[in-house]
Amino acid sequence: MNLEMLMQDPALWGLGIATLAFAMLAVSVKNLVHAVLWLGMSLLGTAALFAKFDASFLAAIQVLLYVGGVVVLLIFGVMLTREHDNLAAFRTTRRPVRAALVAIALFVGLVHAILNTPGLGDPSAGKLVSMPDLGMSLLGPYAFAFEVLSLLLLAAMVGAVVLARKRDPGQPSAKKLIRHRNLGRQVVEGLAATDEVGQ
Amino acid sequence: MQGLLRGLVYGGLIITVLMTATAWGMWLERKLAARMQSRIGPNVVGKFGLLQPVADLMKLLQKEEIYPIGADRLLFDLAPFLVTTFAIATAAVVPFSAEAVGADLDVGLLWVLALGGLMVIPVWMAGWASNNKFALIGGMRAVAQSISYGVPLVLTSLVAVVFTGTMSLSGIVKFQIEHGWLALWPPGPGVVAFVLFYMALLAESNRIPFDIPEAESELVAGITTEYTGMKFGLLYVGEYVHTMVGSAIAAVIFLGGWDGPFHIASGLHWMVIKTVALFASVYWVRWSLLRFRSDQLMRLCWLYLVPVSLGLVVFAALWRHFVLR
């Protein structure tokens, strides 16, 4: 489908505006649970946009991983935080200027990257990619990038396990080690002091 | 425009068939349960109690709607409808025969898994919006269970994808018509994958022995505690539809779908027979086994189901590479 033709499609505009509106709601409502659910709606909107562009694999993955996975994990996170009903606790507008700068920089960067994508506006570039082609390219020409990404995920997972691990009671904690070192220094200094006294 | 019309007609047909099947599925379950426990079951309304679902429906429609104090009304109202909607939407891609398929997506299996995974969100919504601790615990258990059992469910589905080389559900059936049903061939691993898929399915649709989200001996009625009337009914209908569509998908992926044994009289009726048999077996298990404890449930999943299904995926890849080539 031609890009200009697509831009005149009311369904596309409706989906886009709805996705944006859900995203706005996700960051502006004060109830944290509602915010998570609005985020889920916004991600569903993105999935619908993918489907609109005939990228059915991306749409299904978006629903499976983001709505089914990330939103569910966020629900877990919200339920584990204390006072998730206390709305005032989550009004975090402490550094508005810095936040705005980061947001604007990110927006400009993304727009720049999108406008410089090769093949943008070229109708032939948007040809359908079939599932077997996608699988073959992931395991063929892009196998290295694919493996690097899986390694990154593995590292993140191991890191999370290390952070969440219960400390072995036999192994001294970092705090204790520091105290031990201080104790050692005190002993050494104390010995030195007695030495001076002795001389 | 023609596609839209076809979609509407087929969608309406699927909703009608599924809802009717669900109503009499409940009747079937009550009859089976009664038989297993030396009771009689529904036998007053209509012959063999066959009109019992109608009576139940009339009763549910007349019940008073109650909102608990402090409930999140919008989410409380929305949850039962979303549970049922997601469960029915899954059925859109199920091929009931070579012709009777709503949308033959080339990512059909992925669509099923995505929507199945999504169902936990309205279930949790129902628990949270009720402003009831039992309901909330039930909702959280549902989330934990769904995340964990989603892993073996996806992995065992992946076994089928690797064997058949397609994610289209009708493509998977066509492969099985040529090469034999996946549960039977290759002998051994196929049936293990089928059993694991079945177990994960029981857990995903919150059926005994994995029904800890609504464990009535400890959580009153879990997420449904505060619900009344038709909203309560819809939560139940959602679960039944989920089980029924899940049985249909298990039949498609592992039992050859509409293909008859030895290709005898293939057609829609075989799909119906297989689905109803699997559906009834879910309730056979339900009335035979005890409920797992939460920690046992997690151990079973992460220590046994996940490693075995990972091994099955590796086996499937090797089989595909060395035998099917």
Side-chain angles (χ1 to χ4, degrees), chain A residues 2 36-37 71 119 128 154 196:
Chain A
N2 196 324
V36 169
L37 293 175
V71 168
L128 280 178
L154 181 71
E196 278 167 25

Side-chain angles (χ1 to χ4, degrees), chain B residues 142-202:
Chain B
V143 174
Q145 182 171 330
S146 167
I147 288 189
S148 309
Y149 278 82
V151 177
L153 193 73
V154 170
L155 284 176
T156 43
S157 311
L158 193 59
V159 172
V161 173
V162 173
F163 269 133
T164 58
T166 173
M167 276 197 188
S168 146
L169 286 173
S170 56
I172 290 177
V173 174
K174 277 169 197 148
F175 177 91
Q176 293 181 79
I177 292 175
E178 266 177 51
H179 294 88
W181 300 359
L182 277 187
L184 304 175
W185 191 261
V191 77
V192 175
F194 172 60
V195 170
L196 290 190
F197 184 85
Y198 182 78
M199 283 169 77
L201 188 72
L202 286 181

Side-chain angles (χ1 to χ4, degrees), chain A residues 33-34 67 72 75 79 131, chain B residues 72 118 124 128 140 143 147:
Chain A
V33 169
H34 288 181
V67 192
V72 169
I75 286 176
M79 298 318 289
M131 279 287 299
Chain B
D72 193 319
L118 220 55
W124 173 81
W128 184 78
M140 290 314 292
V143 174
I147 288 189

Side-chain angles (χ1 to χ4, degrees), chain B residues 86 90 110-120 146 153 204 242:
Chain B
F86 285 156
T90 323
L110 216 53
W111 164 267
V112 166
L113 292 172
L115 277 180
L118 220 55
M119 269 201 65
V120 71
S146 167
L153 193 73
E204 284 277 312
H242 192 177

Side-chain angles (χ1 to χ4, degrees), chain A residues 36-61:
Chain A
V36 169
L37 293 175
W38 282 126
L39 178 67
M41 289 298 291
S42 172
L43 292 171
L44 273 182
T46 320
L49 279 173
F50 283 146
K52 177 84 191 142
F53 286 108
D54 286 327
S56 51
F57 177 73
L58 269 184
I61 285 292

